Amino acid sequence: MTGHPSEEDGIRTVHAALEQGITLFDTTDSYCLNSTENGHNERQLAKALHNRCEAIIATKGGHIRPEGRWETDSRPEHLRQACEDSLRALGVVAITLYKFHRPDPQIPFAESVGTVAELQREGKFVHVGL
């Protein structure tokens, strides 16, 4: 893909989904073209949902997009920063469902999951998906 839909089209799509009764929206910080626009999808979703309390947002952390490639990064410091960035992009105090995107073969699974558990205890999100 060489681009993404216009903001207007993205918002119209989310509104059409809401009109059809869809209330769960699944996104991630890495749904973007490359690392220069991390959180693009989350920011656009937040704008489209603007205070729609019936919507449930799920997002993920653990992927990165250097030069448009899909790579894993499950270092505790990255997961923590990704969560904080997602909270800001979505404009929420806590995320309803935060998912650990994918294990990173370079990082012990327990270390990554431990960070996710810490973030949940800190109130950054309500539910965890692994």
Side-chain angles (χ1 to χ4, degrees):
M1 182 174 188
T2 58
H4 36 68
S6 70
E7 184 175 280
E8 182 180 278
D9 285 344
I11 290 171
R12 191 173 20 252
T13 300
V14 170
H15 288 174
L18 288 165
E19 289 168 13
Q20 295 300 310
I22 294 170
T23 57
L24 174 63
F25 294 88
D26 188 329
T27 188
T28 185
D29 61 340
S30 59
Y31 288 165
C32 56
L33 298 176
N34 57 54
S35 60
T36 65
E37 57 173 34
N38 277 355
H40 170 270
N41 192 266
E42 292 172 324
R43 288 187 299 276
Q44 188 159 346
L45 183 60
K47 189 171 187 176
L49 292 174
H50 186 66
N51 296 324
R52 299 291 290 262
C53 61
E54 76 271 24
I56 298 167
I57 300 173
T59 195
K60 307 171 219 39
H63 262 151
I64 55 174
R65 297 299 310 274
E67 298 175 19
R69 296 184 313 275
W70 288 97
E71 295 181 8
T72 55
D73 185 348
S74 297
R75 294 172 298 125
E77 59 271 19
H78 172 75
L79 290 173
R80 183 166 289 283
Q81 186 63 54
C83 180
E84 294 292 342
D85 291 346
S86 290
L87 286 164
R88 264 190 306 285
L90 292 165
V92 296
V93 176
I95 297 164
T96 304
L97 172 61
Y98 194 79
K99 299 185 278 181
F100 177 41
H101 215 152
R102 181 164 295 145
D104 183 338
Q106 306 299 314
I107 307 298
F109 185 71
E111 194 173 317
S112 300
V113 172
T115 301
V116 171
E118 287 172 12
L119 290 164
Q120 184 184 34
R121 281 191 298 274
E122 293 168 15
K124 306 293 182 181
F125 41 84
V126 179
H127 303 286
V128 175
L130 300 177

